[in-house]
mmCIF file of all heavy atoms in Angstrom:
data_model
loop_
_atom_site.group_PDB
_atom_site.id
_atom_site.type_symbol
_atom_site.label_atom_id
_atom_site.label_comp_id
_atom_site.label_asym_id
_atom_site.label_seq_id
_atom_site.Cartn_x
_atom_site.Cartn_y
_atom_site.Cartn_z
ATOM 1 N N VAL A 1 23.987 1.070 4.251
ATOM 2 C CA VAL A 1 22.851 1.057 5.173
ATOM 3 C C VAL A 1 22.465 2.490 5.514
ATOM 4 O O VAL A 1 23.310 3.296 5.901
ATOM 5 C CB VAL A 1 23.196 0.281 6.463
ATOM 6 C CG1 VAL A 1 22.036 0.346 7.448
ATOM 7 C CG2 VAL A 1 23.536 -1.159 6.137
ATOM 8 N N TYR A 2 21.187 2.820 5.347
ATOM 9 C CA TYR A 2 20.662 4.113 5.761
ATOM 10 C C TYR A 2 19.740 3.984 6.976
ATOM 11 O O TYR A 2 19.709 4.848 7.837
ATOM 12 C CB TYR A 2 19.855 4.749 4.624
ATOM 13 C CG TYR A 2 20.675 5.318 3.506
ATOM 14 C CD1 TYR A 2 20.244 5.231 2.188
ATOM 15 C CD2 TYR A 2 21.877 5.957 3.757
ATOM 16 C CE1 TYR A 2 20.986 5.771 1.149
ATOM 17 C CE2 TYR A 2 22.627 6.500 2.731
ATOM 18 C CZ TYR A 2 22.175 6.410 1.417
ATOM 19 O OH TYR A 2 22.910 6.943 0.396
ATOM 20 N N ALA A 3 18.937 2.934 7.019
ATOM 21 C CA ALA A 3 17.894 2.808 8.033
ATOM 22 C C ALA A 3 18.495 2.457 9.395
ATOM 23 O O ALA A 3 19.548 1.822 9.481
ATOM 24 C CB ALA A 3 16.884 1.743 7.613
ATOM 25 N N PRO A 4 17.836 2.849 10.480
ATOM 26 C CA PRO A 4 18.324 2.496 11.815
ATOM 27 C C PRO A 4 18.396 0.986 12.019
ATOM 28 O O PRO A 4 17.642 0.216 11.404
ATOM 29 C CB PRO A 4 17.281 3.118 12.744
ATOM 30 C CG PRO A 4 16.650 4.203 11.937
ATOM 31 C CD PRO A 4 16.650 3.709 10.526
ATOM 32 N N ALA A 5 19.312 0.558 12.886
ATOM 33 C CA ALA A 5 19.408 -0.850 13.249
ATOM 34 C C ALA A 5 18.284 -1.217 14.214
ATOM 35 O O ALA A 5 17.689 -0.353 14.865
ATOM 36 C CB ALA A 5 20.764 -1.125 13.890
ATOM 37 N N SER A 6 17.993 -2.507 14.302
ATOM 38 C CA SER A 6 16.986 -3.018 15.231
ATOM 39 C C SER A 6 17.595 -4.164 16.031
ATOM 40 O O SER A 6 18.528 -4.828 15.581
ATOM 41 C CB SER A 6 15.742 -3.512 14.479
ATOM 42 O OG SER A 6 15.122 -2.469 13.767
ATOM 43 N N TRP A 7 17.021 -4.410 17.216
ATOM 44 C CA TRP A 7 17.476 -5.496 18.085
ATOM 45 C C TRP A 7 16.344 -6.475 18.270
ATOM 46 O O TRP A 7 15.247 -6.098 18.696
ATOM 47 C CB TRP A 7 17.938 -4.943 19.421
ATOM 48 C CG TRP A 7 18.317 -5.962 20.456
ATOM 49 C CD1 TRP A 7 17.710 -6.174 21.658
ATOM 50 C CD2 TRP A 7 19.396 -6.900 20.385
ATOM 51 N NE1 TRP A 7 18.341 -7.177 22.345
ATOM 52 C CE2 TRP A 7 19.393 -7.651 21.586
ATOM 53 C CE3 TRP A 7 20.376 -7.182 19.421
ATOM 54 C CZ2 TRP A 7 20.324 -8.653 21.846
ATOM 55 C CZ3 TRP A 7 21.310 -8.183 19.686
ATOM 56 C CH2 TRP A 7 21.279 -8.901 20.879
ATOM 57 N N SER A 8 16.604 -7.748 17.955
ATOM 58 C CA SER A 8 15.556 -8.772 18.018
ATOM 59 C C SER A 8 15.461 -9.431 19.383
ATOM 60 O O SER A 8 14.524 -10.191 19.637
ATOM 61 C CB SER A 8 15.825 -9.852 16.962
ATOM 62 O OG SER A 8 16.921 -10.665 17.350
ATOM 63 N N GLY A 9 16.421 -9.172 20.249
ATOM 64 C CA GLY A 9 16.535 -9.890 21.517
ATOM 65 C C GLY A 9 17.742 -10.785 21.519
ATOM 66 O O GLY A 9 18.300 -11.088 22.579
ATOM 67 N N THR A 10 18.193 -11.206 20.325
ATOM 68 C CA THR A 10 19.402 -12.025 20.202
ATOM 69 C C THR A 10 20.320 -11.543 19.084
ATOM 70 O O THR A 10 21.513 -11.854 19.082
ATOM 71 C CB THR A 10 19.048 -13.503 19.915
ATOM 72 O OG1 THR A 10 18.241 -13.579 18.726
ATOM 73 C CG2 THR A 10 18.278 -14.115 21.078
ATOM 74 N N GLU A 11 19.783 -10.786 18.122
ATOM 75 C CA GLU A 11 20.573 -10.363 16.970
ATOM 76 C C GLU A 11 20.330 -8.890 16.641
ATOM 77 O O GLU A 11 19.223 -8.371 16.850
ATOM 78 C CB GLU A 11 20.226 -11.191 15.721
ATOM 79 C CG GLU A 11 20.606 -12.652 15.809
ATOM 80 C CD GLU A 11 20.101 -13.411 14.589
ATOM 81 O OE1 GLU A 11 18.886 -13.339 14.303
ATOM 82 O OE2 GLU A 11 20.923 -14.071 13.926
ATOM 83 N N VAL A 12 21.358 -8.245 16.115
ATOM 84 C CA VAL A 12 21.227 -6.920 15.515
ATOM 85 C C VAL A 12 20.799 -7.109 14.063
ATOM 86 O O VAL A 12 21.396 -7.906 13.332
ATOM 87 C CB VAL A 12 22.563 -6.153 15.572
ATOM 88 C CG1 VAL A 12 22.430 -4.791 14.900
ATOM 89 C CG2 VAL A 12 23.031 -6.007 17.009
ATOM 90 N N LEU A 13 19.748 -6.394 13.649
ATOM 91 C CA LEU A 13 19.212 -6.531 12.293
ATOM 92 C C LEU A 13 19.413 -5.221 11.538
ATOM 93 O O LEU A 13 19.034 -4.151 12.022
ATOM 94 C CB LEU A 13 17.722 -6.873 12.330
ATOM 95 C CG LEU A 13 17.319 -8.103 13.155
ATOM 96 C CD1 LEU A 13 15.800 -8.279 13.136
ATOM 97 C CD2 LEU A 13 18.013 -9.357 12.626
ATOM 98 N N CYS A 14 20.017 -5.304 10.345
ATOM 99 C CA CYS A 14 20.209 -4.153 9.472
ATOM 100 C C CYS A 14 19.723 -4.516 8.071
ATOM 101 O O CYS A 14 19.806 -5.681 7.658
ATOM 102 C CB CYS A 14 21.681 -3.745 9.398
ATOM 103 S SG CYS A 14 22.373 -3.154 10.953
ATOM 104 N N VAL A 15 19.231 -3.523 7.349
ATOM 105 C CA VAL A 15 18.777 -3.733 5.973
ATOM 106 C C VAL A 15 19.472 -2.703 5.088
ATOM 107 O O VAL A 15 19.485 -1.507 5.397
ATOM 108 C CB VAL A 15 17.248 -3.592 5.848
ATOM 109 C CG1 VAL A 15 16.809 -3.692 4.397
ATOM 110 C CG2 VAL A 15 16.551 -4.669 6.682
ATOM 111 N N GLY A 16 20.061 -3.166 3.971
ATOM 112 C CA GLY A 16 20.772 -2.264 3.076
ATOM 113 C C GLY A 16 20.868 -2.824 1.678
ATOM 114 O O GLY A 16 20.256 -3.850 1.337
ATOM 115 N N THR A 17 21.653 -2.131 0.836
ATOM 116 C CA THR A 17 21.826 -2.515 -0.571
ATOM 117 C C THR A 17 23.311 -2.548 -0.902
ATOM 118 O O THR A 17 24.171 -2.315 -0.050
ATOM 119 C CB THR A 17 21.118 -1.522 -1.509
ATOM 120 O OG1 THR A 17 21.812 -0.259 -1.453
ATOM 121 C CG2 THR A 17 19.669 -1.303 -1.099
ATOM 122 N N ASP A 18 23.595 -2.782 -2.198
ATOM 123 C CA ASP A 18 24.993 -2.801 -2.624
ATOM 124 C C ASP A 18 25.565 -1.407 -2.857
ATOM 125 O O ASP A 18 26.739 -1.250 -3.170
ATOM 126 C CB ASP A 18 25.159 -3.648 -3.897
ATOM 127 C CG ASP A 18 24.404 -3.067 -5.095
ATOM 128 O OD1 ASP A 18 23.834 -1.968 -4.977
ATOM 129 O OD2 ASP A 18 24.387 -3.728 -6.151
ATOM 130 N N GLY A 19 24.720 -0.365 -2.728
ATOM 131 C CA GLY A 19 25.209 0.993 -2.852
ATOM 132 C C GLY A 19 25.379 1.488 -4.268
ATOM 133 O O GLY A 19 25.948 2.559 -4.485
ATOM 134 N N SER A 20 24.858 0.762 -5.249
ATOM 135 C CA SER A 20 25.027 1.165 -6.648
ATOM 136 C C SER A 20 24.149 2.349 -7.031
ATOM 137 O O SER A 20 24.391 3.006 -8.035
ATOM 138 C CB SER A 20 24.710 -0.012 -7.566
ATOM 139 O OG SER A 20 23.334 -0.362 -7.484
ATOM 140 N N GLY A 21 23.095 2.601 -6.261
ATOM 141 C CA GLY A 21 22.156 3.653 -6.602
ATOM 142 C C GLY A 21 21.110 3.235 -7.608
ATOM 143 O O GLY A 21 20.210 4.005 -7.938
ATOM 144 N N GLN A 22 21.198 2.017 -8.087
ATOM 145 C CA GLN A 22 20.238 1.489 -9.046
ATOM 146 C C GLN A 22 19.195 0.645 -8.320
ATOM 147 O O GLN A 22 19.405 0.206 -7.190
ATOM 148 C CB GLN A 22 20.962 0.634 -10.094
ATOM 149 C CG GLN A 22 22.045 1.382 -10.846
ATOM 150 C CD GLN A 22 21.489 2.574 -11.596
ATOM 151 O OE1 GLN A 22 20.473 2.461 -12.291
ATOM 152 N NE2 GLN A 22 22.142 3.717 -11.457
ATOM 153 N N PRO A 23 18.029 0.390 -8.963
ATOM 154 C CA PRO A 23 17.065 -0.533 -8.357
ATOM 155 C C PRO A 23 17.695 -1.914 -8.151
ATOM 156 O O PRO A 23 18.113 -2.568 -9.114
ATOM 157 C CB PRO A 23 15.930 -0.576 -9.383
ATOM 158 C CG PRO A 23 16.039 0.733 -10.119
ATOM 159 C CD PRO A 23 17.512 1.013 -10.195
ATOM 160 N N VAL A 24 17.805 -2.321 -6.919
ATOM 161 C CA VAL A 24 18.474 -3.575 -6.573
ATOM 162 C C VAL A 24 17.713 -4.225 -5.418
ATOM 163 O O VAL A 24 16.899 -3.581 -4.762
ATOM 164 C CB VAL A 24 19.942 -3.335 -6.134
ATOM 165 C CG1 VAL A 24 20.793 -2.880 -7.310
ATOM 166 C CG2 VAL A 24 20.007 -2.315 -5.004
ATOM 167 N N PRO A 25 17.980 -5.502 -5.159
ATOM 168 C CA PRO A 25 17.346 -6.131 -3.994
ATOM 169 C C PRO A 25 17.884 -5.525 -2.699
ATOM 170 O O PRO A 25 19.032 -5.105 -2.618
ATOM 171 C CB PRO A 25 17.761 -7.605 -4.115
ATOM 172 C CG PRO A 25 18.255 -7.780 -5.507
ATOM 173 C CD PRO A 25 18.798 -6.453 -5.927
ATOM 174 N N HIS A 26 17.032 -5.476 -1.681
ATOM 175 C CA HIS A 26 17.483 -5.158 -0.340
ATOM 176 C C HIS A 26 17.870 -6.452 0.374
ATOM 177 O O HIS A 26 17.259 -7.503 0.157
ATOM 178 C CB HIS A 26 16.386 -4.436 0.447
ATOM 179 C CG HIS A 26 16.416 -2.954 0.298
ATOM 180 N ND1 HIS A 26 15.973 -2.322 -0.833
ATOM 181 C CD2 HIS A 26 16.860 -1.976 1.136
ATOM 182 C CE1 HIS A 26 16.127 -1.009 -0.678
ATOM 183 N NE2 HIS A 26 16.657 -0.773 0.500
ATOM 184 N N THR A 27 18.869 -6.358 1.222
ATOM 185 C CA THR A 27 19.354 -7.512 1.965
ATOM 186 C C THR A 27 19.257 -7.238 3.455
ATOM 187 O O THR A 27 19.654 -6.159 3.925
ATOM 188 C CB THR A 27 20.816 -7.825 1.599
ATOM 189 O OG1 THR A 27 20.910 -8.137 0.211
ATOM 190 C CG2 THR A 27 21.344 -8.991 2.417
ATOM 191 N N LEU A 28 18.710 -8.180 4.200
ATOM 192 C CA LEU A 28 18.721 -8.122 5.651
ATOM 193 C C LEU A 28 19.969 -8.842 6.148
ATOM 194 O O LEU A 28 20.281 -9.949 5.703
ATOM 195 C CB LEU A 28 17.465 -8.756 6.234
ATOM 196 C CG LEU A 28 17.381 -8.773 7.767
ATOM 197 C CD1 LEU A 28 15.954 -8.509 8.223
ATOM 198 C CD2 LEU A 28 17.875 -10.097 8.360
#
């Protein structure tokens, strides 16, 4: 995870990848 976390009011939301450095899907 590189991007800052966010708060929805009930959940912490993070977006990241598998860290391979290759084009891959992002996961929330």
